[in-house]
Amino acid sequence: MNQHFTLLKKAIEVFHSYGITLIGQHKNADFIQQLQMDPIFINGLIFELEYQLQVIFQEEKLGSVHTPKDLIALLFNIPQEN
């Protein structure tokens, strides 16, 4: 549980560095339509999350990610290796 909290805290910092707040309905906002992010910046956000959190997202699962909430849910579904 503590590991999830640490991952979430780091993820929130990365989202904030991209100007995305995860408060209220902002976590459900579509990256392209509502947050008006260019796909290159979305890829940068994903790369930054992978780098900062030392995880690797599966390419096939990234196709279903459209909101910050989706990306965080995908983060917690990654098997953790110790």
Side-chain angles (χ1 to χ4, degrees):
M1 185 65 184
N2 193 21
Q3 185 178 11
H4 284 284
F5 180 74
T6 304
L7 284 175
L8 184 59
K9 185 177 176 183
K10 287 182 182 180
I12 289 171
E13 290 174 5
V14 173
F15 278 104
H16 280 252
S17 72
Y18 276 78
I20 301 171
T21 59
L22 300 175
I23 300 171
Q25 291 301 317
H26 293 274
K27 65 182 171 276
N28 295 318
D30 187 89
F31 284 122
I32 296 173
Q33 294 177 353
Q34 293 169 312
L35 296 176
Q36 299 174 345
M37 289 183 71
D38 190 85
I40 292 172
F41 288 107
I42 297 170
N43 288 336
L45 171 65
I46 292 168
F47 172 80
E48 190 71 26
L49 284 169
E50 288 178 331
Y51 180 75
Q52 292 293 331
L53 304 175
Q54 298 297 307
V55 298
I56 298 174
F57 293 111
Q58 294 178 347
E59 286 290 323
E60 48 284 347
K61 292 188 178 182
L62 285 173
S64 65
V65 172
H66 301 287
T67 67
K69 184 178 178 180
D70 295 341
L71 196 51
I72 290 172
L74 183 62
L75 172 67
F76 287 125
N77 289 327
I78 296 174
Q80 302 295 321
E81 296 180 1
N82 290 334

XYZ file of all heavy atoms in Angstrom:
675
model
N 0.829 -1.204 0.000
C 0.000 0.000 0.000
C 0.866 1.257 0.000
O 0.575 2.212 -0.687
C -0.936 -0.037 1.211
C -1.906 1.096 1.248
S -3.034 0.962 -0.147
C -3.953 2.426 0.037
N 1.934 1.229 0.793
C 2.823 2.380 0.868
C 3.490 2.633 -0.479
O 3.724 3.779 -0.854
C 3.867 2.160 1.969
C 4.614 3.422 2.302
O 4.145 4.521 2.026
N 5.781 3.276 2.890
N 3.779 1.545 -1.222
C 4.395 1.686 -2.534
C 3.441 2.376 -3.508
O 3.861 3.191 -4.319
C 4.804 0.320 -3.072
C 5.552 0.393 -4.381
C 5.993 -0.974 -4.854
O 5.578 -1.989 -4.317
N 6.826 -0.995 -5.866
N 2.139 2.065 -3.392
C 1.151 2.721 -4.245
C 1.083 4.214 -3.946
O 0.956 5.024 -4.859
C -0.240 2.090 -4.070
C -0.381 0.773 -4.745
N -0.544 0.645 -6.094
C -0.382 -0.478 -4.247
C -0.641 -0.623 -6.417
N -0.542 -1.337 -5.302
N 1.160 4.563 -2.680
C 1.124 5.972 -2.293
C 2.333 6.716 -2.856
O 2.207 7.824 -3.374
C 1.075 6.106 -0.767
C 1.044 7.528 -0.303
C -0.100 8.304 -0.433
C 2.175 8.117 0.241
C -0.114 9.628 -0.027
C 2.165 9.433 0.660
C 1.016 10.194 0.522
N 3.500 6.092 -2.790
C 4.713 6.708 -3.315
C 4.624 6.895 -4.822
O 4.985 7.953 -5.351
C 5.943 5.846 -2.965
O 5.988 5.665 -1.549
C 7.227 6.489 -3.432
N 4.128 5.874 -5.536
C 3.946 5.984 -6.982
C 2.967 7.088 -7.331
O 3.207 7.881 -8.247
C 3.446 4.656 -7.562
C 4.445 3.530 -7.718
C 3.748 2.268 -8.190
C 5.543 3.918 -8.682
N 1.864 7.149 -6.598
C 0.852 8.165 -6.871
C 1.399 9.563 -6.627
O 1.157 10.480 -7.415
C -0.394 7.915 -6.020
C -1.575 8.837 -6.270
C -2.042 8.747 -7.729
C -2.724 8.481 -5.345
N 2.165 9.729 -5.571
C 2.746 11.037 -5.258
C 3.680 11.497 -6.372
O 3.610 12.642 -6.820
C 3.487 10.966 -3.924
C 4.023 12.290 -3.460
C 4.685 12.151 -2.100
C 5.317 13.458 -1.685
N 6.019 13.356 -0.414
N 4.544 10.591 -6.853
C 5.448 10.938 -7.945
C 4.677 11.212 -9.230
O 5.019 12.117 -9.990
C 6.460 9.817 -8.172
C 7.521 9.722 -7.114
C 8.504 8.615 -7.437
C 9.559 8.467 -6.375
N 10.501 7.375 -6.713
N 3.635 10.420 -9.488
C 2.822 10.611 -10.696
C 2.143 11.973 -10.665
O 2.094 12.671 -11.689
C 1.786 9.499 -10.822
N 1.637 12.376 -9.516
C 0.984 13.684 -9.389
C 1.981 14.797 -9.696
O 1.647 15.776 -10.371
C 0.366 13.847 -7.983
C -0.860 12.932 -7.859
C -0.019 15.300 -7.706
C -1.429 12.842 -6.461
N 3.214 14.657 -9.236
C 4.243 15.659 -9.522
C 4.501 15.763 -11.020
O 4.668 16.861 -11.556
C 5.536 15.311 -8.784
C 5.445 15.482 -7.284
C 6.691 14.999 -6.556
O 7.675 14.616 -7.220
O 6.664 14.993 -5.317
N 4.538 14.627 -11.714
C 4.761 14.637 -13.160
C 3.584 15.298 -13.863
O 3.765 16.137 -14.755
C 4.997 13.210 -13.696
C 5.057 13.200 -15.221
C 6.282 12.622 -13.117
N 2.356 14.954 -13.468
C 1.180 15.577 -14.067
C 1.198 17.090 -13.850
O 0.887 17.856 -14.759
C -0.117 14.978 -13.500
C -0.526 13.689 -14.154
C -0.345 12.480 -13.522
C -1.119 13.688 -15.415
C -0.728 11.290 -14.117
C -1.507 12.511 -16.027
C -1.312 11.302 -15.374
N 1.574 17.518 -12.660
C 1.635 18.950 -12.373
C 2.692 19.644 -13.225
O 2.512 20.789 -13.631
C 1.904 19.189 -10.884
C 0.686 19.054 -10.036
N 0.048 20.115 -9.455
C -0.030 17.965 -9.679
C -1.001 19.686 -8.779
N -1.064 18.369 -8.903
N 3.791 18.957 -13.508
C 4.819 19.563 -14.349
C 4.317 19.784 -15.775
O 4.842 20.625 -16.486
C 6.092 18.708 -14.349
O 5.911 17.525 -15.082
N 3.291 19.037 -16.174
C 2.667 19.225 -17.486
C 1.432 20.125 -17.405
O 0.699 20.259 -18.374
C 2.285 17.865 -18.094
C 3.432 17.205 -18.802
C 4.434 16.564 -18.084
C 3.537 17.232 -20.184
C 5.501 15.971 -18.716
C 4.594 16.637 -20.835
C 5.579 16.009 -20.092
O 6.644 15.426 -20.733
N 1.186 20.708 -16.243
C 0.072 21.625 -16.078
C -1.267 20.943 -15.898
O -2.313 21.554 -16.113
N -1.260 19.681 -15.503
C -2.501 18.920 -15.328
C -2.749 18.738 -13.845
O -1.949 18.117 -13.141
C -2.408 17.551 -16.021
C -2.131 17.718 -17.511
C -3.676 16.744 -15.796
C -1.805 16.424 -18.226
N -3.869 19.275 -13.372
C -4.259 19.048 -11.987
C -5.195 17.846 -11.948
O -5.964 17.619 -12.873
C -4.970 20.274 -11.382
O -6.125 20.570 -12.163
C -4.059 21.479 -11.355
N -5.118 17.095 -10.894
C -5.921 15.885 -10.767
C -7.039 16.050 -9.748
O -7.447 15.100 -9.105
C -5.013 14.706 -10.388
C -3.917 14.396 -11.391
C -3.002 13.305 -10.865
C -4.516 13.992 -12.721
N -7.547 17.264 -9.650
C -8.605 17.578 -8.699
C -9.944 17.610 -9.429
O -10.050 18.152 -10.528
C -8.340 18.934 -8.027
C -7.006 18.897 -7.287
C -9.468 19.304 -7.073
C -6.547 20.237 -6.784
N -10.964 17.045 -8.822
C -12.313 17.100 -9.385
C -12.415 16.431 -10.741
O -11.879 15.352 -10.973
N -13.077 17.104 -11.672
C -13.321 16.538 -12.988
C -12.106 16.596 -13.910
O -12.119 15.992 -14.976
C -14.512 17.238 -13.648
C -15.841 16.927 -12.983
C -16.151 15.432 -13.002
O -15.956 14.746 -13.996
N -16.605 14.922 -11.862
N -11.063 17.282 -13.504
C -9.859 17.365 -14.338
C -9.239 15.995 -14.569
O -8.631 15.758 -15.602
C -8.820 18.305 -13.717
C -9.259 19.727 -13.695
N -9.065 20.574 -14.755
C -9.890 20.449 -12.734
C -9.564 21.760 -14.443
N -10.066 21.706 -13.224
N -9.401 15.092 -13.601
C -8.833 13.759 -13.766
C -9.576 12.956 -14.828
O -9.051 11.998 -15.371
C -8.804 13.002 -12.445
C -10.177 12.695 -11.864
C -10.035 11.975 -10.535
C -11.354 11.847 -9.851
N -11.738 13.008 -9.082
N -10.796 13.375 -15.159
C -11.595 12.697 -16.177
C -11.579 13.422 -17.518
O -12.269 13.012 -18.447
C -13.049 12.554 -15.703
C -13.163 11.654 -14.488
O -12.520 10.621 -14.413
N -13.967 12.056 -13.529
N -10.795 14.480 -17.630
C -10.753 15.274 -18.864
C -9.941 14.548 -19.932
O -8.871 14.017 -19.653
C -10.150 16.647 -18.578
N -10.459 14.530 -21.141
C -9.765 13.903 -22.266
C -8.506 14.707 -22.594
O -8.548 15.932 -22.648
C -10.691 13.843 -23.480
C -10.087 13.063 -24.623
O -10.282 11.841 -24.657
O -9.428 13.691 -25.468
N -7.395 14.000 -22.805
C -6.123 14.668 -23.076
C -6.202 15.590 -24.295
O -5.753 16.726 -24.247
C -4.999 13.649 -23.310
C -4.484 12.997 -22.065
C -4.525 11.619 -21.931
C -3.933 13.738 -21.034
C -4.043 11.001 -20.787
C -3.445 13.136 -19.889
C -3.499 11.757 -19.768
N -6.777 15.101 -25.381
C -6.778 15.853 -26.631
C -7.926 16.856 -26.696
O -7.714 18.033 -26.995
C -6.802 14.898 -27.838
C -5.506 14.073 -27.857
C -6.974 15.663 -29.146
C -5.457 12.981 -28.895
N -9.134 16.415 -26.398
C -10.298 17.278 -26.584
C -10.454 18.332 -25.495
O -10.718 19.491 -25.796
C -11.555 16.432 -26.684
C -11.581 15.571 -27.930
C -12.805 14.668 -27.984
O -13.569 14.598 -27.034
N -12.984 13.984 -29.098
N -10.324 17.947 -24.244
C -10.587 18.891 -23.166
C -9.325 19.569 -22.634
O -9.366 20.737 -22.275
C -11.331 18.181 -22.032
C -12.733 17.755 -22.464
C -13.386 16.832 -21.466
O -12.773 15.864 -21.020
N -14.615 17.135 -21.104
N -8.233 18.826 -22.559
C -6.988 19.423 -22.077
C -6.175 20.020 -23.216
O -5.158 20.665 -22.986
C -6.151 18.379 -21.321
C -6.783 17.830 -20.044
C -5.909 16.740 -19.455
C -7.009 18.938 -19.038
N -6.611 19.773 -24.445
C -6.007 20.318 -25.659
C -4.505 20.058 -25.719
O -3.710 20.941 -26.022
C -6.320 21.806 -25.782
C -7.803 22.052 -25.864
C -8.173 23.512 -25.847
O -7.367 24.368 -25.505
N -9.403 23.804 -26.232
N -4.146 18.809 -25.435
C -2.740 18.411 -25.498
C -2.439 17.821 -26.866
O -3.216 17.059 -27.412
C -2.422 17.371 -24.422
C -2.407 17.911 -23.014
S -1.951 16.639 -21.802
C -0.222 16.419 -22.162
N -1.289 18.157 -27.390
C -0.812 17.577 -28.637
C -0.341 16.144 -28.337
O 0.188 15.889 -27.253
C 0.357 18.412 -29.161
C 0.755 18.044 -30.555
O 0.141 18.570 -31.503
O 1.682 17.210 -30.682
N -0.541 15.209 -29.264
C -0.094 13.827 -29.015
C 1.384 13.706 -28.652
O 1.766 12.814 -27.896
C -0.401 13.116 -30.334
C -1.558 13.870 -30.898
C -1.315 15.307 -30.497
N 2.211 14.622 -29.136
C 3.630 14.586 -28.782
C 3.811 14.849 -27.287
O 4.634 14.211 -26.631
C 4.425 15.614 -29.624
C 4.440 15.159 -31.075
C 5.838 15.790 -29.085
C 5.023 16.153 -32.037
N 3.021 15.767 -26.720
C 3.110 16.051 -25.289
C 2.554 14.905 -24.462
O 3.035 14.634 -23.357
C 2.405 17.359 -24.948
C 3.153 18.565 -25.426
C 2.689 19.290 -26.503
C 4.328 18.959 -24.825
C 3.378 20.393 -26.972
C 5.035 20.057 -25.280
C 4.559 20.776 -26.357
N 1.549 14.215 -24.991
C 1.015 13.040 -24.296
C 2.093 11.962 -24.231
O 2.299 11.336 -23.188
C -0.256 12.520 -24.989
C -1.358 13.586 -24.934
C -0.738 11.223 -24.333
C -2.560 13.278 -25.798
N 2.796 11.747 -25.350
C 3.897 10.777 -25.361
C 5.007 11.206 -24.397
O 5.614 10.368 -23.735
C 4.457 10.602 -26.769
C 3.524 9.849 -27.673
O 2.686 9.084 -27.220
N 3.649 10.075 -28.971
N 5.268 12.509 -24.314
C 6.253 13.021 -23.367
C 5.831 12.773 -21.931
O 6.663 12.401 -21.085
N 4.552 12.956 -21.651
C 4.015 12.693 -20.312
C 4.184 11.221 -19.953
O 4.632 10.885 -18.856
C 2.541 13.094 -20.254
C 1.763 12.705 -18.995
C 2.303 13.440 -17.782
C 0.284 13.005 -19.177
N 3.869 10.350 -20.897
C 4.008 8.913 -20.656
C 5.474 8.553 -20.433
O 5.807 7.805 -19.509
C 3.383 8.118 -21.820
C 1.866 8.310 -21.819
C 3.762 6.639 -21.742
C 1.169 7.824 -23.077
N 6.361 9.103 -21.265
C 7.786 8.849 -21.098
C 8.270 9.327 -19.734
O 9.013 8.628 -19.038
C 8.601 9.530 -22.198
C 10.084 9.467 -21.963
C 10.789 8.311 -22.263
C 10.757 10.545 -21.412
C 12.163 8.248 -22.031
C 12.119 10.478 -21.174
C 12.826 9.323 -21.484
N 7.850 10.520 -19.347
C 8.276 11.086 -18.062
C 7.774 10.238 -16.893
O 8.500 10.021 -15.914
C 7.771 12.523 -17.934
C 8.335 13.281 -16.766
C 9.799 13.649 -16.933
O 10.265 13.778 -18.081
O 10.482 13.797 -15.909
N 6.547 9.742 -16.993
C 6.020 8.865 -15.947
C 6.836 7.578 -15.871
O 7.183 7.124 -14.780
C 4.543 8.538 -16.199
C 3.546 9.634 -15.864
C 2.170 9.278 -16.408
C 3.482 9.863 -14.368
N 7.132 6.992 -17.029
C 7.928 5.767 -17.039
C 9.310 6.018 -16.436
O 9.806 5.201 -15.649
C 8.076 5.234 -18.467
C 6.821 4.633 -19.036
C 6.987 4.152 -20.453
O 7.833 4.716 -21.202
O 6.275 3.204 -20.828
N 9.911 7.129 -16.788
C 11.255 7.447 -16.299
C 11.266 7.718 -14.793
O 12.083 7.164 -14.058
C 11.814 8.648 -17.064
C 13.193 9.055 -16.624
C 14.304 8.304 -16.999
C 13.380 10.184 -15.832
C 15.581 8.679 -16.593
C 14.646 10.556 -15.414
C 15.740 9.800 -15.804
O 16.994 10.168 -15.390
N 10.374 8.568 -14.335
C 10.354 8.954 -12.922
C 9.935 7.804 -12.009
O 10.405 7.699 -10.885
C 9.411 10.149 -12.704
C 9.889 11.426 -13.318
C 11.142 11.969 -12.668
O 11.391 11.758 -11.485
N 11.940 12.671 -13.447
N 9.017 6.960 -12.496
C 8.485 5.880 -11.663
C 9.182 4.545 -11.903
O 8.875 3.559 -11.236
C 6.983 5.729 -11.905
C 6.151 6.991 -11.689
C 4.711 6.745 -12.069
C 6.261 7.475 -10.260
N 10.100 4.521 -12.889
C 10.829 3.297 -13.215
C 9.881 2.142 -13.527
O 10.007 1.036 -12.995
C 11.786 2.911 -12.075
C 12.850 3.950 -11.801
C 13.786 4.153 -12.989
O 14.348 3.203 -13.482
N 13.920 5.380 -13.446
N 8.903 2.410 -14.406
C 7.953 1.405 -14.879
C 7.928 1.450 -16.399
O 8.424 2.396 -17.008
C 6.521 1.645 -14.332
C 6.498 1.552 -12.818
C 5.973 2.974 -14.799
N 7.346 0.434 -16.987
C 7.174 0.405 -18.434
C 5.718 0.059 -18.725
O 5.213 -0.972 -18.284
C 8.105 -0.632 -19.096
C 9.559 -0.260 -18.837
C 7.816 -0.744 -20.585
C 10.559 -1.279 -19.317
N 5.045 0.963 -19.445
C 3.663 0.719 -19.843
C 3.653 -0.168 -21.080
O 4.480 0.002 -21.976
C 2.942 2.031 -20.177
C 2.731 2.935 -18.990
C 3.420 4.132 -18.886
C 1.847 2.595 -17.989
C 3.230 4.979 -17.806
C 1.646 3.431 -16.905
C 2.334 4.618 -16.810
N 2.712 -1.090 -21.150
C 2.570 -1.934 -22.335
C 1.922 -1.117 -23.442
O 0.882 -0.492 -23.240
C 1.734 -3.166 -22.022
C 2.384 -4.104 -21.045
C 1.500 -5.298 -20.718
O 0.323 -5.315 -21.030
N 2.092 -6.290 -20.077
N 2.540 -1.143 -24.623
C 2.067 -0.346 -25.762
C 0.608 -0.635 -26.102
O -0.164 0.276 -26.394
C 2.932 -0.619 -26.989
C 4.301 0.009 -26.928
C 4.264 1.520 -27.040
O 3.446 2.054 -27.788
O 5.084 2.149 -26.356
N 0.226 -1.916 -26.062
C -1.131 -2.259 -26.458
C -2.187 -1.725 -25.491
O -3.315 -1.470 -25.877
C -1.302 -3.754 -26.700
C -0.790 -4.742 -25.695
C 0.708 -5.005 -25.646
O 1.487 -4.638 -26.531
O 1.092 -5.589 -24.638
N -1.801 -1.515 -24.236
C -2.757 -0.975 -23.261
C -2.827 0.549 -23.305
O -3.794 1.136 -22.840
C -2.413 -1.458 -21.860
C -2.629 -2.947 -21.702
C -2.479 -3.386 -20.283
C -2.752 -4.885 -20.194
N -2.657 -5.360 -18.830
N -1.822 1.203 -23.858
C -1.822 2.667 -23.928
C -2.868 3.193 -24.905
O -3.272 4.344 -24.814
C -0.434 3.191 -24.312
C 0.608 3.138 -23.208
C 1.970 3.515 -23.759
C 0.226 4.042 -22.061
N -3.318 2.358 -25.827
C -4.343 2.782 -26.783
C -5.665 3.092 -26.133
O -6.465 3.879 -26.658
N -5.925 2.538 -24.966
C -7.192 2.775 -24.274
C -7.112 3.935 -23.286
O -8.076 4.232 -22.594
C -7.627 1.509 -23.538
O -6.699 1.194 -22.515
N -5.967 4.602 -23.231
C -5.768 5.712 -22.290
C -6.169 7.025 -22.959
O -5.604 7.410 -23.976
C -4.301 5.768 -21.820
C -4.046 7.014 -21.004
C -3.962 4.533 -21.015
N -7.171 7.702 -22.370
C -7.638 8.981 -22.909
C -7.687 10.086 -21.858
O -7.844 11.250 -22.202
C -9.031 8.820 -23.533
C -9.057 7.817 -24.643
N -8.508 8.061 -25.880
C -9.548 6.562 -24.692
C -8.670 6.999 -26.646
N -9.296 6.067 -25.949
N -7.574 9.708 -20.590
C -7.673 10.675 -19.498
C -6.556 10.417 -18.480
O -5.983 9.322 -18.451
C -9.034 10.561 -18.772
O -9.098 9.292 -18.106
C -10.203 10.708 -19.727
N -6.257 11.401 -17.632
C -5.282 11.162 -16.566
C -5.687 9.992 -15.661
O -4.843 9.201 -15.243
C -5.267 12.478 -15.788
C -5.636 13.504 -16.801
C -6.652 12.820 -17.686
N -6.981 9.859 -15.401
C -7.467 8.765 -14.557
C -7.157 7.410 -15.197
O -6.762 6.468 -14.506
C -8.969 8.925 -14.332
C -9.569 7.913 -13.397
C -11.051 8.186 -13.204
C -11.705 7.164 -12.316
N -13.135 7.450 -12.146
N -7.323 7.305 -16.511
C -6.995 6.068 -17.223
C -5.511 5.728 -17.080
O -5.146 4.569 -16.882
C -7.312 6.185 -18.718
C -8.783 6.345 -19.026
O -9.625 6.020 -18.160
O -9.094 6.813 -20.137
N -4.678 6.740 -17.193
C -3.234 6.524 -17.116
C -2.811 6.089 -15.715
O -1.980 5.192 -15.555
C -2.498 7.802 -17.528
C -1.025 7.690 -17.866
C -0.745 6.596 -18.880
C -0.509 9.018 -18.388
N -3.418 6.669 -14.692
C -3.107 6.269 -13.315
C -3.615 4.858 -13.043
O -2.931 4.058 -12.404
C -3.686 7.288 -12.314
C -2.906 8.593 -12.429
C -3.625 6.748 -10.887
C -3.474 9.742 -11.641
N -4.800 4.520 -13.560
C -5.317 3.159 -13.391
C -4.388 2.151 -14.055
O -4.129 1.077 -13.505
C -6.722 3.064 -13.973
N -3.874 2.495 -15.224
C -2.930 1.618 -15.917
C -1.650 1.474 -15.105
O -1.074 0.390 -15.025
C -2.628 2.173 -17.310
C -1.721 1.344 -18.200
C -2.334 -0.013 -18.485
C -1.469 2.084 -19.504
N -1.228 2.545 -14.473
C -0.027 2.521 -13.645
C -0.176 1.510 -12.515
O 0.752 0.742 -12.212
C 0.251 3.909 -13.067
C 1.358 4.031 -12.032
C 2.709 3.754 -12.692
C 1.344 5.411 -11.419
N -1.334 1.471 -11.879
C -1.527 0.556 -10.743
C -1.782 -0.877 -11.177
O -1.743 -1.781 -10.358
C -2.645 1.055 -9.838
C -2.231 2.255 -9.028
C -2.960 3.416 -9.065
C -1.100 2.214 -8.236
C -2.569 4.529 -8.334
C -0.709 3.323 -7.504
C -1.451 4.478 -7.542
N -2.036 -1.097 -12.460
C -2.228 -2.459 -12.956
C -0.948 -3.083 -13.479
O -0.960 -4.224 -13.932
C -3.301 -2.477 -14.055
C -4.675 -2.245 -13.478
O -4.964 -2.644 -12.366
N -5.531 -1.583 -14.234
N 0.159 -2.338 -13.423
C 1.449 -2.878 -13.833
C 1.955 -3.795 -12.727
O 1.996 -3.396 -11.566
C 2.478 -1.755 -14.086
C 2.038 -0.888 -15.261
C 3.864 -2.326 -14.336
C 2.926 0.310 -15.481
N 2.344 -5.031 -13.080
C 2.892 -5.911 -12.042
C 4.175 -5.322 -11.466
O 5.051 -4.890 -12.212
C 3.180 -7.225 -12.768
C 2.670 -7.065 -14.149
C 2.290 -5.637 -14.378
N 4.272 -5.274 -10.156
C 5.435 -4.702 -9.488
C 6.427 -5.811 -9.196
O 6.079 -6.832 -8.612
C 5.031 -4.020 -8.175
C 3.998 -2.928 -8.339
C 4.509 -1.751 -9.148
O 5.650 -1.366 -9.004
N 3.670 -1.209 -9.999
N 7.673 -5.614 -9.607
C 8.723 -6.588 -9.352
C 9.595 -6.099 -8.208
O 9.969 -4.931 -8.151
C 9.579 -6.791 -10.590
C 8.823 -7.377 -11.752
C 9.716 -7.557 -12.953
O 10.918 -7.240 -12.887
O 9.185 -7.996 -13.969
N 9.930 -6.977 -7.294
C 10.819 -6.634 -6.177
C 12.038 -7.498 -6.211
O 12.086 -8.590 -6.525
C 10.102 -6.801 -4.833
C 9.030 -5.740 -4.662
O 9.130 -4.681 -5.234
N 8.035 -6.043 -3.863
